[in-house]
Amino acid sequence: VVLSICPQHSKRFLRSLTKERLLEAKHSGPRLCIDLSMTHHMSKKELSRLAGQIRRLYGSNKKADRPFWIYLTGFTTDSHLYEECLRMNDGFSSYLLDITEEDCFSLFPLETLVYLTPDSEHALEDVDLNKVYILGGLVDESIQKKVTFQKAQEHSVKTARLPIQEYMVRCQNRKNYHSEILAINQVFDILSAYFETQNWPEALKKGVSSRKGYVLQNSVE
C-alpha cells in the first residue's frame, strides 16, 4: 500500500507525526537535559552562541525518527539567555520541550542521571531509556571540562564521555590541535545518530569533524 499524502496535508501530517514522536519520547525515553544553571557568567556573545546551539539541537531532534525528550533546566524566563532564545529561534515559545527553573539534580532521581563530560573516565557504551543524559550549557572550552565534571562529582552523579578515544585516532593537523570538547548540538547529533543506528563509528563521524583533530581509526591509511 502506497501512502500518498496530499501536499496541503503533508506539512500538517508531518507536524503531528513529529509531535507524536516527541511525546512518545517524553513518556518512554530517551531523555536529555540541558543544564543551563551556569549561564550567569556568560557574555552576550556566548549567550547568543548557546541560543544558536539550542536551536540547532532542537531542529535536529525534531527530524529524528527516534527523538529524545528535552528538558532545559536551571532556566528562568527572565534571563538574558531566554531573551536570546526568543530572538534567535522562530517559534521558541512553542517548542515541544520542558523548561524549568529547577536544577537537573533536584528534578530527577540522582541514580538515573548521567552527566556527559569530556573529563569522565567512563566511555558511554549505550543510550539507556531509563537514564537522563545531561549536557552542560557552556560554550567556553577552557572552563567547560572542569566545571561540568566537578558539578557531577559534587552531586555524586555518574559521568560519561563520548567514546572518541575508543573509536577515533588523532590525525596530524597544521596546528597540532586535538580537542574532544564539542558544542552541545554536536554532542547531541552523535547521541541521536547512535540511538538510531546503534553504531558508534557512524555516529561519531557525524559529530566530530576532522577540524577537531580526530578521525575514525580505520580511515587512517
Side-chain angles (χ1 to χ4, degrees), residues 22-203:
L22 285 167
L23 294 174
E24 172 66 24
K26 181 177 190 173
H27 182 250
S28 51
R31 291 171 298 168
L32 180 85
C33 168
I34 301 170
D35 175 6
L36 298 171
S37 63
M38 302 167 279
T39 53
H40 40 285
H41 302 305
M42 286 186 175
S43 66
K44 180 100 170 17
K45 195 173 159 196
E46 287 175 328
L47 290 171
S48 296
R49 273 176 63 196
L50 184 56
Q53 290 174 15
I54 291 170
R55 181 185 65 208
R56 286 195 287 276
L57 188 155
Y58 183 76
S60 69
N61 191 45
K62 248 175 44 171
K63 291 192 199 94
D65 287 339
R66 301 178 73 189
F68 283 63
W69 182 254
I70 294 168
Y71 300 85
L72 303 180
T73 59
F75 193 31
T76 52
T77 49
D78 59 358
S79 62
H80 289 310
L81 178 62
Y82 192 81
E83 277 169 34
E84 275 304 283
C85 284
L86 283 177
R87 188 179 70 80
M88 292 180 66
N89 306 329
D90 207 22
F92 179 72
S93 51
S94 55
Y95 273 15
L96 279 169
L97 42 69
D98 280 327
I99 289 178
T100 172
E101 295 183 13
E102 261 193 89
D103 200 315
C104 51
F105 300 109
S106 54
L107 198 59
F108 306 101
L110 293 179
E111 66 277 9
T112 64
L113 298 176
V114 180
Y115 213 120
L116 296 173
T117 165
D119 280 329
S120 178
E121 291 167 16
H122 310 287
L124 186 66
E125 287 174 19
D126 205 0
V127 171
D128 181 339
L129 295 176
N130 300 312
K131 299 277 188 232
V132 178
Y133 295 93
I134 308 170
L135 294 177
L138 288 166
V139 292
D140 180 347
E141 286 202 7
S142 57
I143 63 162
Q144 190 174 340
K145 290 176 73 166
K146 301 175 195 69
V147 171
T148 51
F149 186 65
Q150 281 164 359
K151 211 173 169 192
Q153 281 197 313
E154 277 163 28
H155 292 273
S156 309
V157 158
K158 279 199 185 82
T159 60
R161 57 176 171 75
L162 292 172
I164 293 174
Q165 298 164 21
E166 283 67 20
Y167 294 98
M168 303 189 96
V169 289
R170 289 182 169 208
C171 60
Q172 295 270 288
N173 56 21
R174 270 212 323 271
K175 294 181 181 159
N176 197 24
Y177 170 75
H178 302 93
S179 171
E180 292 182 40
I181 299 179
L182 304 168
I184 54 170
N185 55 298
Q186 292 169 320
V187 176
F188 175 74
D189 286 344
I190 294 168
L191 278 184
S192 176
Y194 174 77
F195 186 60
E196 288 191 16
T197 62
Q198 299 291 302
N199 179 320
W200 278 118
E202 204 172 302

